[in-house]
Amino acid sequence: MRKFICILAGVMLLGNASSTVSFADVTGQTAQLIGPGGQQNESMQPGGKPGDGLAGVQPVPGQDGDDSGSQSGTGAGPEQSVNDSGSQPGTGAGPGQSISDSGSQPGNGSGQGQPGSGSGSQPGMNQGPGQNSVNSGYSQTGAQTVTGPGGNPAASDTGDSQTPTGPGYGAAQGQQGYGPGFPSEEKGDGTVLAAPQLPQNNFLNSVVTDPVVNAAEKYSYDQMVADIRKLQARYGEKIHVNVIGHSHDGRELYEVIVGNVNAPKHILLQGAIHAREYMTPLIMMSQIEMALFHYNTGQYDGMMLRDMFQQTALHFVPMSNPDGVSLSQFGLAGIRSDFLKQTILNSYARDTAEGRTALPLEQYLTLWKSNAAGVDLNHNFPADWEGIVTSAVSNSYAGYKGGGPLSEPESLALASMADKYAWVATISYHSMGNIIYWDTQISRVKEASLSLAQSISAVTGYRTDGSDGKGGFKDWMQSKDNPVPGITIEVGSVSCPLPLSQFDGAWQQNKAVWAQAMKWSIGQ
């Protein structure tokens, strides 16, 4: 999430940091990190060059941590054990109880406060290959049923609008906890205020037949790239794909344009700038395919989509932080460079020593928000960057703003687009909270940003609010010379990484965002 720095609700054993961290079991080598008080390997500094990649290291699905996923009102108290539960509000274990791999939802899975069944499948949602989710308007295929230990990555982002409470900063009495040293900043509680109110249209409730993009628990960078190439092959001149830069670990950063590249107006949508928020690329890729599928025949609020696309082009950057996403999804196996792996281990040792985490390494990595160099990209833009104060003063899983504004290749790639087109709006996708943020103290386009937020609120059902934004992409675009109106959309009602069971609801709430944004643009 945009500003959330969150630690697992559950048992947090605050103790001395181990003096040595080894990743020999991951890489087959014997590199070690000497911890605090000893000779420590240098962390990767912003702008530094990663080391040579480790040939043959590929992401390995299923390397999930045992983080709890307990949500508001369900946080584990002292002596509780929560293991890969993914449990939702009202289903948390009481004192001494244990939830193991349940993935249950109220009314769908295990009973309130009872041990889970070991299955994350949901009625009418995560169905088998070739089946459509009920009322989603979008096909879901692939690995839909989640069972057994490690099969369902538990949600572990316990932060939203409350200060730390209880041992281990676990959620208590409906509140959600933060990690130590991080203030309450945002206000989304996951509540959707109203059902989406969609203008008259002929496509949003239909299903994309033979879809390229399919829902998956971990929608990965490699899958996204493969899907982009398939969409190019299928839809030809309706889609344009550019590489806008490269990540620290050598991954290409993709821009996907739908519509007339010479249109008088342009909208930029970007997602997954925070690593663990990797449902947002899945939502955005699904939006891209829906727009392409209905490009010639769709009608929205009395306008043909093909005409709307001549007036406004949509630019999607679905995964702004591909290294971080790969790390959160697959652990160290998702990182190619040995140098970056060591940087990550250095960050873990420091965060442990400084009390920012007490989690085992595997769980800690699932909560990663930064890029692979340990810089929080949404604190790395020149929007009151000097005013950002967090407990992370060096490379970390979250919160570290970097050695200077735009110090990272990923943030620099987004910044390079700032004056490339005649932008009328930016939309940044984050999770979680089911809320739309539109304002900052430094914004120079407050009225237009509020207008955009209200327009998108109507089709999502999300409430709107301001925020004390600093260093974020939206914050910078709103405050730079030639400012651009913008909003941040926070999707999901449980903690990050969002489980697949959240996709259907998030899709229902966000499937019309791109079309509504074009409608708003045309009216400006």
Side-chain angles (χ1 to χ4, degrees), residues 62-67 84 150-154 218 278 328-329 362 366:
Q63 296 183 346
D64 302 314
D66 295 328
D67 35 311
D84 284 304
N152 187 3
K218 295 179 180 180
Y278 51 76
S328 178
Q329 291 179 334
E362 287 185 355
T366 67

Side-chain angles (χ1 to χ4, degrees), residues 454-489:
Q454 291 171 336
S455 180
I456 300 302
S457 175
V459 298
T460 59
Y462 297 168
R463 69 185 181 93
T464 64
D465 210 331
S467 66
D468 184 21
K470 294 181 177 119
F473 176 69
K474 174 188 73 70
D475 311 330
W476 175 59
M477 292 291 283
Q478 288 179 322
S479 61
K480 70 180 184 67
D481 293 338
N482 190 24
V484 180
I487 59 174
T488 291
I489 303 177

Side-chain angles (χ1 to χ4, degrees), residues 227-303:
D227 288 349
I228 289 173
R229 290 170 179 166
K230 290 177 183 177
L231 291 173
Q232 276 187 288
R234 181 174 293 187
Y235 293 102
E237 63 183 14
K238 296 182 181 68
I239 178 174
H240 302 270
V241 179
N242 298 315
V243 173
I244 62 172
H246 293 79
S247 69
H248 271 295
D249 207 25
R251 292 177 173 87
E252 294 181 321
L253 306 176
Y254 285 92
E255 172 198 20
V256 179
I257 306 173
V258 181
N260 176 16
V261 294
N262 296 314
K265 297 180 179 181
H266 298 259
I267 297 173
L268 175 59
L269 303 93
Q270 67 90 16
I273 201 168
H274 282 152
R276 66 192 181 199
E277 300 170 14
Y278 51 76
M279 185 172 284
T280 58
L282 175 59
I283 290 172
M284 294 174 68
M285 289 294 294
S286 301
Q287 291 172 335
I288 291 169
E289 183 164 24
M290 174 168 274
L292 291 169
F293 187 81
H294 297 286
Y295 193 105
N296 287 323
T297 60
Q299 298 180 29
Y300 189 82
D301 202 22
M303 294 177 282

Side-chain angles (χ1 to χ4, degrees), residues 37-402:
Q39 186 70 28
Q40 181 167 296
N41 291 339
E42 289 294 324
S43 298
M44 183 172 203
Q45 296 304 314
K49 293 184 180 300
D52 293 335
L54 183 65
V57 176
Q58 299 295 331
V60 180
Q63 296 183 346
D64 302 314
D66 295 328
D67 35 311
S68 72
S70 56
Q71 306 309 323
S72 56
T74 67
E79 306 303 324
Q80 290 177 263
S81 173
V82 186
N83 181 31
D84 284 304
S85 70
S87 59
Q88 306 307 320
T91 66
Q97 293 179 306
S98 173
I99 298 179
S100 178
D101 293 296
S102 70
S104 58
Q105 305 293 329
N108 290 339
S110 58
Q112 182 171 358
Q114 298 175 354
S117 64
S119 173
S121 59
Q122 301 302 323
M125 293 177 63
N126 305 329
Q127 302 171 5
Q131 301 182 21
N132 299 326
S133 60
V134 175
N135 294 324
S136 71
Y138 207 85
S139 287
Q140 296 187 17
T141 64
Q144 304 299 329
T145 301
V146 181
T147 59
N152 187 3
S156 308
D157 177 0
T158 57
D160 209 4
S161 77
Q162 303 295 338
T163 52
T165 58
Y169 304 91
Q173 298 180 354
Q175 298 181 350
Q176 300 191 35
Y178 281 87
F182 286 84
S184 305
E185 292 177 326
E186 306 216 15
K187 308 165 187 175
D189 60 3
T191 301
V192 178
L193 294 186
Q197 301 297 314
L198 303 180
Q200 184 178 6
N201 70 90
N202 67 347
F203 64 93
L204 286 173
N205 289 324
S206 64
V207 173
V208 173
T209 57
D210 187 25
V212 168
V213 181
N214 294 295
E217 191 78 51
K218 295 179 180 180
Y219 188 74
S220 68
Y221 172 79
D222 289 343
Q223 185 61 61
M224 181 195 74
V225 173
D227 288 349
I228 289 173
R229 290 170 179 166
K230 290 177 183 177
L231 291 173
Q232 276 187 288
R234 181 174 293 187
Y235 293 102
E237 63 183 14
K238 296 182 181 68
I239 178 174
H240 302 270
V241 179
N242 298 315
V243 173
I244 62 172
H246 293 79
S247 69
H248 271 295
D249 207 25
R251 292 177 173 87
E252 294 181 321
L253 306 176
Y254 285 92
E255 172 198 20
V256 179
I257 306 173
V258 181
N260 176 16
V261 294
N262 296 314
K265 297 180 179 181
H266 298 259
I267 297 173
L268 175 59
L269 303 93
Q270 67 90 16
I273 201 168
H274 282 152
R276 66 192 181 199
E277 300 170 14
Y278 51 76
M279 185 172 284
T280 58
L282 175 59
I283 290 172
M284 294 174 68
M285 289 294 294
S286 301
Q287 291 172 335
I288 291 169
E289 183 164 24
M290 174 168 274
L292 291 169
F293 187 81
H294 297 286
Y295 193 105
N296 287 323
T297 60
Q299 298 180 29
Y300 189 82
D301 202 22
M303 294 177 282
M304 295 296 296
L305 286 182
R306 61 174 177 265
D307 296 331
M308 297 173 74
F309 278 121
Q310 290 304 306
Q311 300 179 64
T312 302
L314 300 176
H315 300 246
F316 295 84
V317 181
M319 196 177 290
S320 300
N321 181 11
D323 297 349
V325 169
S326 298
L327 179 62
S328 178
Q329 291 179 334
F330 305 119
L332 288 175
I335 300 300
R336 303 160 179 168
S337 163
D338 284 352
F339 187 86
L340 289 172
K341 290 184 184 190
Q342 192 63 61
T343 299
I344 293 160
L345 290 176
N346 290 357
S347 299
Y348 176 60
R350 275 192 304 273
D351 284 342
T352 300
E354 295 171 4
R356 287 166 53 79
T357 188
L359 296 174
L361 177 63
E362 287 185 355
Q363 293 175 247
Y364 167 86
L365 295 180
T366 67
L367 303 185
W368 196 269
K369 292 179 70 176
S370 303
N371 67 358
V375 176
D376 189 325
L377 296 174
N378 214 42
H379 286 337
N380 195 234
F381 291 87
D384 195 14
W385 180 89
E386 295 79 6
I388 299 172
V389 178
T390 76
S391 67
V393 296
S394 60
N395 311 65
S396 173
Y397 82 104
Y400 177 52
K401 64 183 181 179

